[in-house]
């Protein structure tokens, strides 16, 4: 079968924050998983690399960051604040965080609340929390492959 024409492709952007590179690896793995699904294409950008207006160009937006002090990293929170004036109605979304110790889902739950408050046009359909072995990492063994599967499942839901 021929690949779908570009204008029929679903477009996804993963926007992330990362200090030591672990959350970037999760963002890249999610994107790789998305790009495995026919009819969906994904790119990854760090918060400082894009303007919030650019979010309009995508059907789906995935936002993720490290847990810093029991909440989402400040640079991503600021990005969301800046994006609150952008028209994002009808978009699908998901969230992810990285954490240490027993803090699974702690930052990502707060991130979801922040998005629901500031970017109500985005319908959040999934989240992922990935563990690092210490502040600087590395990621726990299977977290990147879990992120890849997470991306593929997310993309599958976009084309269903
Ligand atoms: C300032 C700071 C505060 C942190 N606070 C927490 C915390 O409260 N809970 C937690 O699980 N991890 C905490 N961490 C660990 C981060 O979650 C970890 O550094 C991050 O997942 C690594 O991702 P990165 O390589 O993308 O920066 C903290 C890290 C930093 C730098």
């Amino acid at each position: 079968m021929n690949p779908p024409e570009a204008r029929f492709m679903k477009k996804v952007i993963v926007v992330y924050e990362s200090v030591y590179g672990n959350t970037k690896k999760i963002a890249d793995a999610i994107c790789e998983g998305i790009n495995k699904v026919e009819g969906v294409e994904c790119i990854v950008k760090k918060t400082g690399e894009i303007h919030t207006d650019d979010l309009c160009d995508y059907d789906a937006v995935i936002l993720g960051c490290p847990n810093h002090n029991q909440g989402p990293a400040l640079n991503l929170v600021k990005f969301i604040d800046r994006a609150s004036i952008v028209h994002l109605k009808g978009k699908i979304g998901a969230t992810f965080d990285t954490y240490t110790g027993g803090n699974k889902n702690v930052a990502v739950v707060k991130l979801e609340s922040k998005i629901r408050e500031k970017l109500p046009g985005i319908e959040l359909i999934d989240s992922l929390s990935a563990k690092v072995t210490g502040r600087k990492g590395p990621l726990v063994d299977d977290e990147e492959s879990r992120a890849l599967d997470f991306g593929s499942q997310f993309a599958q839901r976009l084309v269903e």
Side-chain angles (χ1 to χ4, degrees):
M1 215 165 68
N2 292 328
E5 268 184 62
R7 66 197 164 105
F8 296 126
M9 293 286 277
K10 294 277 186 189
K11 292 175 71 185
V12 185
I13 185 166
V14 178
V15 181
Y16 73 96
E17 191 47 53
S18 180
V19 176
Y20 303 111
N22 300 282
T23 317
K24 178 183 190 312
K25 285 185 180 161
I26 295 296
D28 287 340
I30 291 172
C31 191
E32 192 184 332
I34 290 170
N35 281 327
K36 281 182 186 296
V37 175
E38 193 171 306
V40 190
E41 61 183 15
C42 182
I43 63 157
V44 180
K45 294 283 181 191
K46 199 171 182 182
T47 50
E49 292 175 341
I50 62 156
H51 194 282
T52 50
D53 285 350
D54 298 341
L55 297 178
C56 295
D57 299 340
Y58 298 87
D59 301 292
V61 179
I62 302 181
L63 297 164
C65 64
N67 177 327
H68 282 173
N69 304 315
Q70 306 294 307
L74 196 56
N75 280 349
L76 186 61
V77 173
K78 286 180 179 170
F79 181 86
I80 291 167
D81 284 338
R82 292 198 298 278
S84 63
I85 55 165
V86 181
H87 183 77
L88 298 172
K89 197 163 166 46
K91 300 201 187 293
I92 302 296
T95 52
F96 61 100
D97 74 5
T98 56
Y99 70 98
T100 51
N103 285 312
K104 185 170 187 178
N105 288 322
V106 171
V108 87
V109 165
K110 291 180 183 171
L111 179 59
E112 285 176 327
S113 300
K114 184 82 186 170
I115 293 168
R116 289 198 179 102
E117 178 199 348
K118 298 280 182 172
L119 313 176
I122 299 180
E123 183 198 353
L124 296 174
I125 61 167
D126 210 352
S127 72
L128 176 78
S129 194
K131 187 170 184 173
V132 293
T133 52
R135 183 166 278 215
K136 294 186 178 178
L139 286 157
V140 168
D141 273 352
D142 59 351
E143 294 296 40
E144 275 178 271
S145 65
R146 222 161 54 83
L148 196 129
D149 291 345
F150 175 86
S152 292
Q153 281 162 23
F154 180 85
Q156 207 61 55
R157 290 172 72 175
L158 280 186
V159 291
E160 269 166 8

